[in-house]
Amino acid sequence: MRRIHKRPRASVVAVSVVTAALALAVSACGGGGGGGTSTTTSTTIGKGEGSLNVIEWPYYTDKSFAQPFEQKTGCTIHRKDAGTSNQMFALMHGNGGGGGGQYDLVSASGDASLRLIDAGDVQPINVDQIPSWKDFLPAFKSPPHNTVDGKHYGVSVQWGPNTLIYNTQKANPAPTGWGAIYSSKYKGKLTVPNNPIQIADAALYLMQTKPSLGIKDPYELTKAQLTAAGQLLISQKPLLKRYWNYATDEITSFKNGDVWMGAGWPFQTLQLQGDKQPIKEIVPLPTTGWADTWMLAAKAPHPNCAYKWMQYVTTPKVEAQQAIVFGETPVNPLACPYMDKIQKGSCAAYHLNEPTSYYNKIKFWKTPVAACGWKQSDSCMDYNAWVQAWTQITG
């Protein structure tokens, strides 16, 4: 549930939306998979409708790479920046659901995508209409966070790890693993994200340090395992300066010296280093991480422009441009030479030259559900239980 503060420029998509489904100019119709409504994916893409309304992580349609798309297609992008996965879900699910007849696309992370599918807010897409899909890394062609029963509810775009960020002048010696954020050494100078999916970080740490708990998957926790992760986070709370709500909050905390170490993403590190701050990051493996998907709203009013964007943003050059802007890894490995052309060594820095070995060490966000894959039972705690546990931890 990544949290990034809104960009300075105004978002021009209104929150109020039309609830009636509009006629589609392509042969797509109906709702999403969760509601049981039959859905036919697009087989042709017509002329762009002139607009594209997106709910996005800020900078996911950055003008540096979006303007050529707008000029070429005539599809003007209207952005609604979201700070959290919960906010994305609320916007897509509100006003009758399915994007409310207002929004076309959402750049959902794995902790929101299955919720959107189950709620019927997104519709399957035809990957045959996405030429670059055939070049994707195998893990991102049909990942479980956006593909259900063989249906593709969106197209993968970028991915990355959660990182341990630290001030090189204050954290001495440099941290070597996630244990640093559970240690009293830097009491009062630590920060972590304020969201329920953070429980998975604690669970992953316990997988390594307390194997007797029997945790097999940090997102599939029994009641006892969820309690153990919660207890670790409760013990961590007095060590924290604060929980951060948005990426810019964490950036500010590092800048003003309030915190010396914290959990974050490459985005914060890039911003801080660009501002000449003494900041580095490590990626203690294994780690949690995120994989994002452009998902088509069930009631998208501009499906042609939406498909054109999914085609465009997954091309190698554009994938490379977005990767450098945000600090993440493309799903299209053909982006590698373009990355190095923009920023020398960036392909290796973001591990696109060794994607499989790196990917396998990242436990990507997914929506906690009752079904325990590793136990073949329904004895795991679902997302609602995680939300309740997080409220008790932070309250």
Side-chain angles (χ1 to χ4, degrees), residues 2 54-61 80-82 84-85 88 92 104-113 116 155 157 291-296 309 322:
R2 301 212 302 287
V54 303
I55 302 168
E56 64 164 5
W57 295 116
Y59 305 102
Y60 259 43
T61 61
K80 176 63 178 178
D81 288 348
T84 70
S85 291
M88 287 185 178
M92 284 289 290
D104 298 299
L105 290 171
V106 58
S107 62
S109 294
D111 59 328
S113 51
L116 290 167
V155 59
V157 59
D292 294 339
T293 300
W294 278 114
M295 308 187 83
L296 181 63
W309 174 255
Q322 177 172 338

Side-chain angles (χ1 to χ4, degrees), residues 158-239:
Q158 301 274 344
W159 56 284
N162 292 321
T163 62
L164 181 56
I165 305 170
Y166 65 98
N167 184 313
T168 59
Q169 296 178 355
K170 301 293 186 180
N172 190 17
T176 58
W178 286 115
I181 62 172
Y182 302 108
S183 168
S184 61
K185 181 176 181 179
Y186 295 109
K187 182 178 181 179
K189 294 296 183 180
L190 300 171
T191 186
V192 299
N194 182 18
N195 58 69
I197 211 68
Q198 189 66 19
I199 294 171
D201 287 58
L204 184 59
Y205 179 72
L206 291 173
M207 281 179 64
Q208 310 302 311
T209 58
K210 290 189 176 182
S212 61
L213 290 170
I215 299 174
K216 305 297 184 184
D217 185 319
Y219 304 97
E220 297 181 2
L221 304 178
T222 64
K223 184 175 182 179
Q225 292 168 348
L226 180 63
T227 297
Q231 288 173 342
L232 175 61
L233 292 169
I234 289 172
S235 69
Q236 180 195 55
K237 183 179 178 181
L239 308 179

Side-chain angles (χ1 to χ4, degrees), residues 327-351:
E328 53 195 354
T329 306
V331 298
N332 190 335
L334 299 182
C336 199
Y338 292 96
M339 292 176 71
D340 284 339
K341 187 175 181 180
I342 298 170
Q343 182 179 309
K344 187 177 179 180
S346 59
C347 177
Y350 293 111
H351 301 274

Side-chain angles (χ1 to χ4, degrees), residues 58-334:
Y59 305 102
Y60 259 43
T61 61
D62 190 70
K63 289 185 177 180
S64 64
F65 55 86
Q67 280 185 334
F69 166 81
E70 293 177 311
Q71 294 166 356
K72 180 179 180 180
T73 64
C75 299
T76 300
I77 299 175
H78 305 284
R79 302 166 176 89
K80 176 63 178 178
D81 288 348
T84 70
S85 291
N86 280 348
Q87 187 180 2
M88 287 185 178
F89 179 81
L91 288 168
M92 284 289 290
H93 194 59
N95 295 283
Q102 174 70 33
Y103 299 113
D104 298 299
L105 290 171
V106 58
S107 62
S109 294
D111 59 328
S113 51
L114 285 182
R115 282 188 283 162
L116 290 167
I117 294 170
D118 289 342
D121 291 325
V122 292
Q123 61 176 289
I125 68 163
N126 183 357
V127 294
D128 290 337
Q129 295 295 333
I130 313 297
S132 292
W133 182 85
K134 66 182 184 300
D135 299 319
F136 283 9
L137 296 167
F140 293 104
K141 286 187 175 182
S142 305
H145 57 263
N146 67 26
T147 306
V148 177
D149 295 332
K151 295 181 180 179
H152 300 272
Y153 290 86
V155 59
S156 301
V157 59
Q158 301 274 344
W159 56 284
N162 292 321
T163 62
L164 181 56
I165 305 170
Y166 65 98
N167 184 313
T168 59
Q169 296 178 355
K170 301 293 186 180
N172 190 17
T176 58
W178 286 115
I181 62 172
Y182 302 108
S183 168
S184 61
K185 181 176 181 179
Y186 295 109
K187 182 178 181 179
K189 294 296 183 180
L190 300 171
T191 186
V192 299
N194 182 18
N195 58 69
I197 211 68
Q198 189 66 19
I199 294 171
D201 287 58
L204 184 59
Y205 179 72
L206 291 173
M207 281 179 64
Q208 310 302 311
T209 58
K210 290 189 176 182
S212 61
L213 290 170
I215 299 174
K216 305 297 184 184
D217 185 319
Y219 304 97
E220 297 181 2
L221 304 178
T222 64
K223 184 175 182 179
Q225 292 168 348
L226 180 63
T227 297
Q231 288 173 342
L232 175 61
L233 292 169
I234 289 172
S235 69
Q236 180 195 55
K237 183 179 178 181
L239 308 179
L240 302 176
K241 175 67 176 180
R242 63 176 58 93
Y243 295 100
W244 58 266
N245 290 310
Y246 297 94
T248 48
D249 296 338
E250 185 175 33
I251 290 170
T252 298
S253 292
F254 271 102
K255 279 185 176 182
N256 63 24
D258 277 355
V259 301
W260 299 348
M261 189 181 301
W265 318 308
F267 175 81
Q268 287 94 306
T269 302
L270 289 176
Q271 296 296 312
L272 287 162
Q273 290 176 343
D275 203 33
K276 308 300 181 184
Q277 297 293 312
I279 297 298
K280 288 186 177 180
E281 70 179 17
I282 62 171
V283 183
L285 297 174
T287 186
T288 54
W290 34 270
D292 294 339
T293 300
W294 278 114
M295 308 187 83
L296 181 63
K299 300 177 183 177
H302 312 112
N304 291 336
C305 282
Y307 263 95
K308 289 178 184 294
W309 174 255
M310 289 187 286
Q311 290 176 334
Y312 173 81
V313 79
T314 51
T315 56
K317 182 179 179 181
V318 182
E319 282 252 306
Q321 291 173 310
Q322 177 172 338
I324 300 302
V325 166
F326 201 91
E328 53 195 354
T329 306
V331 298
N332 190 335
L334 299 182

Side-chain angles (χ1 to χ4, degrees), residues 314-387:
T314 51
T315 56
K317 182 179 179 181
V318 182
E319 282 252 306
Q321 291 173 310
Q322 177 172 338
I324 300 302
V325 166
F326 201 91
E328 53 195 354
T329 306
V331 298
N332 190 335
L334 299 182
C336 199
Y338 292 96
M339 292 176 71
D340 284 339
K341 187 175 181 180
I342 298 170
Q343 182 179 309
K344 187 177 179 180
S346 59
C347 177
Y350 293 111
H351 301 274
L352 189 55
N353 64 330
E354 51 167 5
T356 302
S357 60
Y358 189 60
Y359 170 92
N360 287 337
K361 295 173 183 175
I362 301 175
K363 304 296 183 182
F364 289 98
W365 288 344
K366 62 182 180 181
T367 304
V369 296
C372 266
W374 59 275
K375 287 188 70 176
Q376 308 262 321
S377 71
D378 289 335
S379 58
C380 280
M381 308 306 291
D382 63 14
Y383 184 73
N384 288 332
W386 281 49
V387 171

